[in-house]
Amino acid sequence: MRKHIANCFTLLNLVFGCLAIIQILAGLPGLGLSFAAGGAAEADLVARMCVASLFICLAGVVDFLDGLIARLLGAASEMGKQLDSLADLVSFGVAPGLILYQFLLIAFSNGNLAAGASMNYWYLLPALLVPLAGAYRLARFNLGTHFSTEFEGLPIPAGGILIASFPLIFKNTDNQALQQLMHTSWFWYAVTLIVSFLMISTIAMMSLKFKNLSFIQNWPKFLLLILAIVLGISLHWLAVPLVFIVYILLSVIMLRKGTPL
């Protein structure tokens, strides 16, 4: 029974991932906006992706809770591990990959999605590298790694939530330079390649799980948490990519020095 409680949270992660995909592709009744012509169609698509991003963030919260609940109940199991990976692939691999796909469509259609119907869709398919890299990362994780307290490669939830932050940044920023950058296909290709490479790499990444509350043993995690709160209050969704960069730098610098994280 205890195992089923944790597994229900894992399945809820999968539900949120599926809802995000539906929202990106068509829109849920009452939440999606209908396509309009020209620039209005772009605004509708971005609005739908913003709702999908919130579903992905909810999946991230549930993904954290299912592991926590499994540990508290002593209900960790091989079944739960496999189920968690399948849910993560949908919520943090497929759904974010579709967000990148839609952003590439916006970039190549120059703001007119109706004109994008005649474009070469081979230009959009690199977005699929994210779910492919995520699947590889999860399969390798399930087979076991030679790292005991750190992750081998970027955890797929971290990459998925990074990508999920972009629609919310895109919709809420007034910075013209940032808006122009996010209308550029090369920016999305760079995001796709960086996230995919980090996931399939063997670079040691800091685990964000606290084994105890000792500040001395966990100061990099506390630093990251405090930074996330401060930047979140001041920069809102733009804080996510900045915290992501700090997380990568902290992981690389500290672990290369041999500091256990």
Side-chain angles (χ1 to χ4, degrees):
M1 181 62 186
R2 290 179 298 173
K3 293 180 180 179
H4 292 315
I5 294 174
N7 289 342
C8 283
F9 274 84
T10 303
L11 290 174
L12 186 57
N13 170 3
L14 179 59
V15 168
F16 284 133
C18 291
L19 291 175
I21 291 172
I22 294 171
Q23 183 67 13
I24 294 166
L25 295 178
L28 291 161
L31 292 179
L33 300 173
S34 59
F35 272 99
E42 178 182 314
D44 290 353
L45 178 55
V46 172
R48 291 210 314 271
M49 288 197 293
C50 285
V51 177
S53 293
L54 296 178
F55 280 131
I56 294 172
C57 290
L58 286 173
V61 173
V62 173
D63 183 55
F64 173 79
L65 290 176
D66 70 357
L68 179 62
I69 290 171
R71 289 191 295 273
L72 290 176
L73 296 178
S77 66
E78 187 63 27
M79 171 71 173
K81 179 180 178 181
Q82 300 299 329
L83 195 60
D84 184 69
S85 291
L86 293 171
D88 283 356
L89 179 58
V90 174
S91 298
F92 309 117
V94 177
L98 290 175
I99 287 177
L100 291 172
Y101 180 95
Q102 298 286 33
F103 267 126
L104 282 170
L105 178 61
I106 290 173
F108 280 110
S109 62
N110 295 317
N112 185 1
L113 292 182
S118 60
M119 68 172 295
N120 188 337
Y121 279 84
W122 285 103
Y123 294 126
L124 311 181
L125 294 184
L128 300 182
L129 287 174
V130 167
L132 292 175
Y136 181 88
R137 165 70 173 78
L138 289 167
R140 186 179 62 193
F141 175 79
N142 285 355
L143 290 174
T145 68
H146 51 273
F147 292 97
S148 57
T149 59
E150 292 85 36
F151 292 119
E152 186 181 58
L154 179 72
I156 187 173
I161 291 174
L162 169 69
I163 294 170
S165 71
F166 287 122
L168 295 159
I169 295 171
F170 187 91
K171 186 176 183 344
N172 294 294
T173 185
D174 294 325
N175 188 302
Q176 293 299 316
L178 187 55
Q179 281 278 353
Q180 185 175 1
L181 177 65
M182 297 178 76
H183 274 94
T184 305
S185 60
W186 291 109
F187 173 75
W188 299 114
Y189 286 144
V191 170
T192 299
L193 291 174
I194 290 170
V195 172
S196 299
F197 167 76
L198 288 174
M199 282 196 290
I200 66 173
S201 73
T202 56
I203 300 172
M205 296 287 177
M206 176 172 61
S207 170
L208 298 179
K209 296 176 182 178
F210 288 82
K211 291 188 175 181
N212 56 59
L213 296 179
S214 169
F215 180 80
I216 295 177
Q217 295 181 21
N218 295 289
W219 72 263
K221 299 173 188 177
F222 279 112
L223 174 63
L224 195 66
L225 178 61
I226 294 170
L227 184 65
I229 294 172
V230 172
L231 290 179
I233 293 172
S234 57
L235 298 176
H236 306 293
W237 291 105
L238 189 58
V240 177
L242 297 178
V243 172
F244 178 85
I245 293 171
V246 173
Y247 167 68
I248 300 298
L249 292 176
L250 268 177
S251 296
V252 172
I253 293 172
M254 299 304 297
L255 293 173
R256 278 195 174 182
K257 289 182 177 180
T259 304
L261 299 176

